[in-house]
Every structure is written in structure tokens, then in C-alpha cells.
Amino acid sequence: MDKLKKYKEKRDFTKTKEPKGKKEKSNKKLRFVVQHHMARREHYDFRLEWNGTLLSWAVPKGPSYNTKDKRLAVHVEDHPLSYRNFEGVIPKGEYGGGTVMVWDAGYYEPIGNFSKDFKNGAIKFILHGTRLKGKWTLVFFKEDNWLLIKEKDDVNLYTSIDKYKTSVKTGRTMEEIEEGKTSKFRNSKKEGIVEGIKITNPDKKIYEQPKITKMDIVLYYQKVAERMLPFIKMRIISTIRCPQGIKGECFFKKHLETINEGIGKKILPNEKGNKEDYYYIKDIRGLLLEVQMNSYEFHVWGSRVDKINHPDVLVFDLDPDEKMSLQKVREGVLDLKSILDELKLVSFLKTSGGKGYHVVVPTKRLKTWKSFREFAKNIAKLMEAKWPDKYTSNVRKESRKGKIFIDWIRNTKSATSVAPYSLRIRKKARVSMPIKWSELSKVKPDEITMEMAIKRLKRKDPWEKFYEVDQ
């Protein structure tokens, strides 16, 4: 049975740019999207991923955060999973003709037996979006009519949806989408476009050899955003800002200056107990706004902002003595992997963009920072005890002569590590790049350029299963 038969029958794909789509295999993390749709009648399309397609409802008034509101939601045909990224204009006269904007997106957790509950006409779920969060219910009413209701929980978002005027995908307004505006600035080389964000000083030279401009960097981050964002969004960040390029003064930025729609704020006590404003990226708009503000290198915390005291990413940075051969560094990576394998921990590999590699372990958010740090330290000490002539757990430079420092200190609250796909602000413009374990012997730590990183996006994602690991 073709679940997309109705969807395909209603559309002429020679006239509309909507995706033809096909049934796909759903991920462990189920996605949702809400699209603002200015058709004959304005409405919001609410879509939940299930069994390889998007279950879809048209919500005339849009979702409401008020638990007393029962919003009509008309069940329509299933849409392909690829539709969640569709933003543009459906031609007049075609089915659904009008402007479509990605109003919210994220993932959701079904509550109970979703398939059975759907057949019975009452599904409950938790939304993890940029704008919609918390528990929600869809209840069958009559014919194709359901009701979308916000459940009572500890997520208090009593605000009008009308205040959100831009796309969470591109930062554009409905008018900009309708007019075909994708940028307020076009690159002189016609290499591409930056969606919805005004880029100042696009031709400013950031790297000398090869010459790389600010616009080149913006376009790079735009292209890698889909792969990069799962590892950077909703995590407190620090960035390296270089307003005058790498030859000018650069500085570490870790505190919030101004709030933008794609940027969030988190107030936390510092080492002295004083409260400070930290910040995090919510979506592609936040990422590109940071680059517009001259942030070119991104570092992230090992925990997410919704559970800040329970980390979920363990990072080991293998930092070798400067005179050490690459072969010995690679041996060190494999020795560390052997320890993690013995502990039955699945690990992932990336280049540092500098002189070493990073081994990264996803974990459940169960440990506190104190026990997390102790666990990481014990692994480093175990390597030191097993191979005393090869490794050290001591941070002091003099301790690592002829050895590799297994940097476990990054697994401490407020410590950061360079994000996957981040550029490095060094003489060479290199990327901290996720690679397959089988590539360890082939890819040098400082080998991946921006161009190489973009080409590698066409390959299967070596970290595709990162957030599916259960450990």
C-alpha cells in the first residue's frame, strides 16, 4: 500500500516544487514540523513523523500554548518525510497554492502505544522544538476533525504564536519567501546565497593562505549546518571571534551580548558563584548570526541546556608531544578505543583540525559532572598505568615529553571542546571533521579543508548513529 498515493495524486510535480517524496525508514528520533501556510485560507500544517511518512493535520488557528484552548486540526493526507524541509511558493491554481514557511521543527517523543492510540483517536506526545515544547494531545472529534490541545506540564509558554514571524529554517519572513528573497546580500563570485541574514563586510579577508573571506566562511557553515547542528544546538557555546581575521586580535567569547531569535540565554553561576549570562544556538539562524558577528570557531559544553548538570558527551583529546610521529598518535587512538571497547562503550572519531584526534563517546544523561569527570580521569590513568612509556594523564607540558597527554579534563562542567565541523582559527583553515574509524590511517588530524568537508557531505554520515547509541 502506497501511503503517499493521495499526496501524489493531488499534485502536478511539473508545476510545483514540492518534493515528490517516497516512503522512508523512520529514525529512532522522530521528527516533527509545523509549516505556516498562506493558502486560500491561512493555516498551520502540523506534521508528525511515523512509519516513514509525515502524519499531517491542517490547524486553521495554529497551535495554542493555552491548555484551555482546543484547536481544530483537520487530518489530511500523509506527506513524505522530505516535506519537512519544504519552504517556498506553491503556484496559484495548484493544490494548496500559496506560501509555505517552516514555522517550527524538532523531534518528538510519543507517549504510550502510538499506533494503537492513533487508531483509537487519541495520541499524546512530547514536543522538543524551537517554539513548541512539552506535552500535547491530538484527539479525534468527528470525520477528519481532531483537536490539538496543550497538556498541563512544567513548560509554561503562554504567548501568542503571532509573535513568531520568521522561519526557523532560513530566518525569512513570509513576504521574503513569497518574493523569492533568500538573501539581503549576494556573493560577488555567485558562489551561493545566505538565507535571510544580512552579512556585513562579506569580502573581508579572514585567512591569508589560501585567501578565505568572511562570506566563504558563512557559506561553509550554511552548507554543513544540517550535519553540525545536532552536535551544537541547545548546548552552551564559546566561540573564537576574529573581527580582523586571523592576523588581527582574536578573543574567546562565552557570554551573551544580544538576544536574537536563533540564540538562547542561560543564566548560570560562575566559579565564584556570581550569576552570568551564557548563551546557546537554537537553529541555523543562530549559527549564521554568530558567524556574521565574526565567530568562526565553535566550542561546546558536554551537556545540553535542559539538563545542564548531566552531561551526555564524553570527549578525549589525544594531545601528543610536538615531535611525535603521526603513526604513534594513531596507535594512541587505537589503544584508547581498545579500552573503551573493553568497557563496551561505542566511540566515534574526528580530526581535531590541529595535531591530534578526538575520540567522542555518547552517553545517557545519568551521571553528574563530578562522577563523569572521575570516570574520564580513570580511563586516562588506566592507559597511563598500562602503557607508562606512551601516555600521561598529567596536564603539565614537561610530563608529555615523548608521550601523548590523554586530555580528560574537558569532561568537566563549563569546560568545552571544539564542535564537529567547526573551523579552526589557526594559520591553516582546517576543520574538526567526523570520520569513520577505518579512515584513521588515511586522514591526518589537520588534513580536512572547508572544500573537502563540503565534498564529504555527499558521503554517508560517519556519525549518523551517534544519538541512537544506548549506553
Side-chain angles (χ1 to χ4, degrees), residues 76-272:
V76 298
E77 75 278 7
D78 285 8
H79 282 51
L81 285 183
S82 53
Y83 206 93
R84 73 186 188 278
N85 295 315
F86 176 68
E87 184 169 276
V89 179
I90 301 169
K92 198 174 179 182
E94 293 304 299
Y95 178 74
T99 309
V100 177
M101 177 178 84
V102 179
W103 185 85
D104 196 20
Y107 69 96
Y108 79 97
E109 298 173 60
I111 298 171
N113 187 327
F114 196 89
S115 290
K116 187 179 174 184
D117 294 343
F118 179 68
K119 285 175 187 171
N120 291 335
I123 51 175
K124 292 180 185 286
F125 43 90
I126 301 168
L127 295 181
H128 300 274
T130 301
R131 293 167 180 165
L132 299 182
K133 301 177 191 298
K135 292 181 183 176
W136 296 74
T137 300
L138 268 163
V139 184
F140 176 71
F141 181 48
K142 63 177 180 179
E143 296 173 348
D144 288 327
N145 298 330
W146 294 55
L147 299 172
L148 177 63
I149 306 162
K150 177 74 184 72
E151 294 266 312
K152 288 182 180 176
D153 57 18
D154 57 357
V155 178
N156 296 313
L157 294 168
Y158 295 113
T159 183
S160 170
I161 62 170
D162 295 335
K163 82 172 204 176
Y164 298 117
K165 306 283 188 190
T166 57
S167 162
V168 295
K169 182 171 181 270
T170 64
R172 297 185 291 178
T173 63
M174 292 295 263
E175 291 74 20
E176 285 172 330
I177 295 166
E178 193 173 353
E179 290 167 23
K181 284 186 188 173
T182 48
S183 175
K184 292 172 184 167
F185 172 82
R186 277 186 186 268
N187 171 347
S188 58
K189 297 179 189 170
K190 306 284 184 193
E191 286 177 344
I193 46 182
V194 181
E195 298 182 297
I197 292 167
K198 184 172 171 57
I199 303 301
T200 56
N201 302 318
D203 296 320
K204 180 166 63 184
K205 191 162 62 172
I206 306 301
Y207 290 89
E208 301 288 328
Q209 290 293 333
K211 183 189 169 188
I212 294 172
T213 66
K214 179 177 181 178
M215 193 59 176
D216 293 328
I217 297 174
V218 173
L219 291 169
Y220 165 75
Y221 277 116
Q222 181 177 258
K223 284 169 184 167
V224 300
E226 189 176 348
R227 290 263 184 103
M228 183 181 187
L229 279 169
F231 304 105
I232 191 171
K233 71 178 183 180
M234 310 311 283
R235 293 180 186 276
I236 288 173
I237 61 167
S238 299
T239 68
I240 297 181
R241 283 192 170 177
C242 296
Q244 306 306 321
I246 64 166
K247 280 206 162 179
E249 185 185 355
C250 296
F251 58 92
F252 229 86
K253 178 190 176 289
K254 63 178 184 176
H255 298 297
L256 184 73
E257 289 168 353
T258 54
I259 281 207
N260 289 300
E261 195 170 318
I263 302 288
K265 176 173 80 169
K266 185 81 175 176
I267 300 172
L268 293 171
N270 61 18
E271 294 84 356
K272 295 177 181 176

Side-chain angles (χ1 to χ4, degrees), residues 299-348:
H299 294 249
V300 289
W301 280 36
S303 61
R304 284 176 276 174
V305 291
D306 62 333
K307 211 170 179 182
I308 203 77
N309 292 315
H310 293 82
D312 64 348
V313 177
L314 191 67
V315 180
F316 294 97
D317 178 5
L318 283 86
D319 195 354
D321 179 6
E322 288 181 9
K323 295 175 185 173
M324 185 168 287
S325 70
L326 181 54
Q327 184 188 342
K328 288 203 169 176
V329 175
R330 285 169 169 159
E331 282 172 13
V333 173
L334 291 174
D335 283 343
L336 172 56
K337 186 177 188 295
S338 71
I339 297 282
L340 296 170
D341 287 349
E342 280 176 35
L343 294 169
K344 298 203 165 26
L345 290 174
V346 178
S347 55
F348 293 79

Side-chain angles (χ1 to χ4, degrees), residues 366-379:
L366 299 176
K367 292 181 182 290
T368 61
W369 275 112
K370 188 179 178 183
S371 57
F372 201 70
R373 183 177 189 267
E374 206 59 34
F375 180 71
K377 184 179 181 181
N378 287 340
I379 288 176

Side-chain angles (χ1 to χ4, degrees), residues 51-96:
N51 286 339
T53 60
L54 292 170
L55 298 172
S56 298
W57 289 263
V59 185
K61 289 186 177 179
S64 171
Y65 300 116
N66 190 336
T67 55
K68 292 177 183 176
D69 287 343
K70 295 176 175 63
R71 289 288 164 87
L72 175 66
V74 182
H75 188 213
V76 298
E77 75 278 7
D78 285 8
H79 282 51
L81 285 183
S82 53
Y83 206 93
R84 73 186 188 278
N85 295 315
F86 176 68
E87 184 169 276
V89 179
I90 301 169
K92 198 174 179 182
E94 293 304 299
Y95 178 74

